[in-house]
Amino acid sequence: MAYSSLLSFSVFFLVLFHVCFAQIELVTNRPDRESQRQQQSQQNQCQLQNLNALQPKHRFRSEAGVTEFWDQNEQQFQCAGVAFLRHKIQRKGLLLPSFNNAPQLVYVVEGQGIQGVVFPGCPETYQYPSQQSQRQEKQQSSRDQHQKIRQFKEGDILALPAGVPHWIYNNGQSQLVLVSLVDVGNNDNQLDQNFRKFFIAGNPQEGLVTGGQRQSQEQSRKPSRKGKEEEQQESGGNNILSGFDRNLLAEVFGIDNKLARKLQNENDNRGAIVRMEHDFQIPSPQEAEEEQRQQGREEEGEEEEEEEEEQGSEEERDRKRERGRRSRKHQSRRRGSRNGLEETFCTMRLRHRIDSPFADVFNPRAGRITTINSFNLPVLQLLQLSAERGVLYKNAIYGPQWNIDAHSIVYVTRGSGRMQIVAENGDAIFDDNVEEGQVITVPQNYAVVKKAGRQGFEWIAFKTNENAKVSQLAGRVSVFRAIPADVLANSFRISREEALRLKQNRQEVSVFSPRSQQQQ
């Protein structure tokens, strides 16, 4: 009897132990399994059977411009884990301050402008007084100061880390066109795989904050006009301040409720791109330096007069004047609060000219290829993104290749050309012409070749790796060139002489001139 009771207790304890252990294992392994499910889901999105060159699907008109989104639900974008959009900003148009849930790379297709990027904890290094404050220097509130402003123009690449507020202003004489890739699959995005834009000001349309997603749901909650272009919301601000209590905002900013209400931008129908009502006064370092030099010359004159009265030694006057210059230079460098961050994070370079005449690969009869990665723009190491700028002349070819460690999202900036993309099973999942304004994704390891049309072919390709690497199939630095001729001969069942011709007939690198110009 005692043995039977002991046996029953042992079986009960064993079952209880296994149940508890299973629960503990389920809890401890839940993040890993969740990560595996997300990775498996993304991999399933890359089972691509057919690709199409895409045009933007959603279009949102604002007071001073237009924002267009490509459909994030397209399988090729789901595979790459990216979103794609385009801004067209009119002259004196301001893209309102906002931040994204994922890193963003911007290519300037047309025009010029200025960009502000706000890094947390960094000092306001741009300081300049108004005319009133020049007369009344003691009134601190009359002076404006802010973080660094960056100028850019056509052919530049702009890098924007996740969660960092930014704004863009068109100070040129023509339209400003920007195309952007947002890497929603990046590790910095801890939300879902949807693009989200958080506006700090304004009342943008609902689709603008979600990249065109969930429009039908939002339209059922808020009235809007039907049509291809989404109209401005009539009430209820869509910036992040709109959700806070108005009294709390007034208390936090030390303002009255009337001004706090204006921060929430209710009944503001201007959209995400607004027209500047007043001239944008930008402090110019050159003008400030000239003014400082003039002031310095006046101070030196006063010092010289005093020194001449006090001392007759010219050598002593020179020494004091030099000490004065060094002191002013030191004070100029020390002006403003310093916390150490401005030497690294606060001063990182966010712009690089990719349309430079100094290309990485250049063929005077075919075109050029320029790349930008973390070596020439270090901030890309944080963003885990890079870019490639390609220019092909009439009928030239960008040889067959594959991206070793990145997806490539290609936007055609000018001209047209034929592209072929081949999957691992040898099927051509895309074989068609692409034209200006279209986007197509080349998945990692898929082979691709480009041939320009009669008007040439130009593109910008965003890549999901900070140092994306490419492997060529043809040309002087190709895979075939590195394989012994005997191996090629046996692999393709060709003669050794044919294998040597296969290896050596093309001496160009990456970009090939039309065959008609080559020796037959």
Side-chain angles (χ1 to χ4, degrees):
M1 185 68 179
Y3 175 78
S4 177
S5 301
L6 181 61
L7 180 62
S8 300
F9 178 77
S10 300
V11 171
F12 172 77
F13 180 78
L14 183 62
V15 172
L16 180 64
F17 173 78
H18 279 290
V19 170
C20 294
F21 183 78
Q23 294 292 332
I24 294 173
E25 183 182 16
L26 179 63
V27 172
T28 55
N29 292 338
R30 186 175 298 166
D32 294 337
R33 293 178 180 177
E34 183 66 25
S35 176
Q36 291 175 0
R37 281 197 296 269
Q38 292 178 357
Q39 184 177 5
Q40 184 68 25
S41 175
Q42 185 173 358
Q43 290 175 349
N44 291 338
Q45 297 292 340
C46 289
Q47 302 300 319
L48 302 171
Q49 303 298 324
N50 186 41
L51 286 177
N52 294 305
L54 304 174
Q55 296 281 3
K57 183 176 182 180
H58 308 293
R59 180 182 175 92
F60 302 90
R61 183 172 294 278
S62 301
E63 178 187 48
V66 174
T67 301
E68 299 168 310
F69 289 94
W70 276 252
D71 187 4
Q72 293 184 53
N73 294 321
E74 284 286 344
Q75 190 178 15
Q76 57 182 280
F77 290 149
Q78 294 287 324
C79 168
V82 300
F84 206 89
L85 65 146
R86 178 169 60 197
H87 292 297
K88 297 180 179 179
I89 305 175
Q90 299 173 9
R91 182 172 175 267
K92 292 189 176 181
L94 171 68
L95 179 60
L96 293 173
S98 63
F99 58 89
N100 305 325
N101 63 326
Q104 179 178 1
L105 269 189
V106 182
Y107 176 71
V108 185
V109 179
E110 177 185 341
Q112 67 179 48
I114 58 175
Q115 176 196 43
V117 181
V118 181
F119 288 108
C122 295
E124 296 84 9
T125 55
Y126 274 49
Q127 305 177 31
Y128 59 105
S130 62
Q131 294 180 356
Q132 180 182 3
S133 64
Q134 289 177 357
R135 295 189 301 264
Q136 300 177 354
E137 296 182 357
K138 295 182 179 181
Q139 296 182 1
Q140 184 71 19
S141 60
S142 64
R143 292 194 296 178
D144 185 23
Q145 56 186 23
H146 50 77
Q147 289 190 14
K148 183 178 179 179
I149 290 178
R150 297 165 171 86
Q151 302 207 28
F152 61 83
K153 60 182 179 179
E154 179 179 332
D156 285 346
I157 284 281
L158 311 177
L160 295 171
V164 174
H166 58 273
W167 53 267
I168 290 176
Y169 175 67
N170 180 0
N171 66 341
Q173 300 301 316
S174 61
Q175 179 179 239
L176 174 62
V177 180
L178 310 170
V179 293
S180 300
L181 175 130
V182 182
D183 187 15
V184 294
N186 194 283
N187 292 334
D188 286 345
N189 177 24
Q190 300 297 311
L191 301 175
D192 52 33
Q193 296 294 300
N194 293 317
F195 168 64
R196 303 186 188 187
K197 196 170 188 66
F198 298 80
F199 282 88
I200 299 176
N203 182 24
Q205 299 92 322
E206 288 287 348
L208 273 170
V209 300
T210 58
Q213 299 298 300
R214 301 191 299 273
Q215 288 189 56
S216 58
Q217 300 176 9
E218 302 296 347
Q219 289 171 357
S220 64
R221 291 201 298 263
K222 290 189 176 183
S224 65
R225 301 177 185 178
K226 296 181 179 180
K228 293 184 179 180
E229 293 183 358
E230 297 296 325
E231 299 294 334
Q232 288 84 355
Q233 300 298 324
E234 297 180 357
S235 63
N238 283 328
N239 67 62
I240 59 176
L241 298 179
S242 302
F244 290 118
D245 179 75
R246 192 170 301 158
N247 295 327
L248 183 58
L249 285 178
E251 183 178 358
V252 167
F253 288 100
I255 57 179
D256 55 37
N257 282 16
K258 183 179 180 180
L259 181 54
R261 182 176 183 178
K262 292 181 179 181
L263 295 181
Q264 297 178 328
N265 287 96
E266 293 182 357
N267 302 314
D268 186 343
N269 297 326
R270 297 178 299 167
I273 306 173
V274 303
R275 183 168 286 104
M276 293 283 285
E277 298 178 357
H278 310 288
D279 290 337
F280 192 7
Q281 300 295 332
I282 307 172
S284 171
Q286 291 80 8
E287 294 177 0
E289 290 171 3
E290 180 61 30
E291 182 179 352
Q292 193 175 51
R293 282 194 294 268
Q294 178 65 27
Q295 183 180 359
R297 285 193 291 267
E298 294 176 358
E299 292 178 355
E300 288 177 9
E302 295 176 358
E303 290 177 359
E304 288 177 1
E305 292 178 0
E306 294 177 357
E307 290 170 355
E308 288 176 356
E309 292 177 358
E310 294 177 358
Q311 299 186 25
S313 172
E314 184 177 352
E315 183 179 354
E316 182 66 22
R317 289 199 303 270
D318 291 340
R319 284 199 297 267
K320 287 190 175 183
R321 190 181 304 117
E322 181 63 23
R323 285 197 298 268
R325 289 196 189 99
R326 291 179 180 177
S327 177
R328 284 191 296 273
K329 186 176 181 181
H330 179 72
Q331 291 175 2
S332 175
R333 291 179 176 177
R334 296 288 298 180
R335 187 174 289 113
S337 59
R338 295 173 64 91
N339 54 13
L341 288 175
E342 64 271 16
E343 297 297 331
T344 53
F345 187 75
C346 297
T347 58
M348 70 171 61
R349 192 161 51 90
L350 302 178
R351 181 186 64 85
H352 187 84
R353 183 153 185 80
I354 198 171
D355 266 356
S356 170
F358 303 101
D360 297 311
V361 177
F362 174 66
N363 185 333
R365 295 170 298 177
R368 65 181 187 271
I369 302 295
T370 307
T371 57
I372 174 175
N373 51 39
S374 65
F375 293 109
N376 47 22
L377 188 59
V379 68
L380 294 181
Q381 185 173 1
L382 299 177
L383 273 62
Q384 301 173 20
L385 294 172
S386 58
E388 171 192 272
R389 172 68 169 154
V391 176
L392 292 181
Y393 304 152
K394 178 182 177 180
N395 296 328
I397 299 173
Y398 189 24
Q401 61 182 266
W402 68 88
N403 291 287
I404 295 176
D405 51 6
H407 300 298
S408 178
I409 296 82
V410 180
Y411 175 85
V412 183
T413 59
R414 188 174 289 111
S416 63
R418 181 185 179 186
M419 286 183 62
Q420 289 183 306
I421 303 175
V422 180
E424 74 279 3
N425 57 4
D427 290 343
I429 61 174
F430 183 82
D431 183 3
D432 204 350
N433 289 330
V434 290
E435 300 176 348
E436 180 177 338
Q438 291 184 321
V439 175
I440 188 167
T441 301
V442 182
Q444 177 185 358
N445 298 143
Y446 282 45
V448 58
V449 63
K450 302 181 180 77
K451 182 174 182 178
R454 294 183 177 181
Q455 303 300 321
F457 183 23
E458 301 183 18
W459 71 89
I460 182 73
F462 301 99
K463 301 191 177 186
T464 57
N465 189 300
E466 68 271 21
N467 292 309
K469 294 176 284 293
V470 171
S471 185
Q472 304 282 344
L473 276 170
R476 188 154 49 91
V477 294
S478 66
V479 172
F480 284 177
R481 192 69 177 263
I483 296 177
D486 290 332
V487 174
L488 292 176
N490 285 275
S491 299
F492 292 106
R493 300 181 68 178
I494 58 179
S495 67
R496 194 173 189 278
E497 291 72 18
E498 290 173 323
L500 288 174
R501 291 204 304 271
L502 180 66
K503 290 184 59 172
Q504 300 174 1
N505 271 11
R506 281 287 195 178
Q507 296 299 318
E508 298 160 301
V509 176
S510 301
V511 182
F512 305 137
S513 54
R515 185 59 179 167
S516 59
Q517 299 180 13
Q518 299 292 318
Q519 183 178 0
Q520 298 293 333

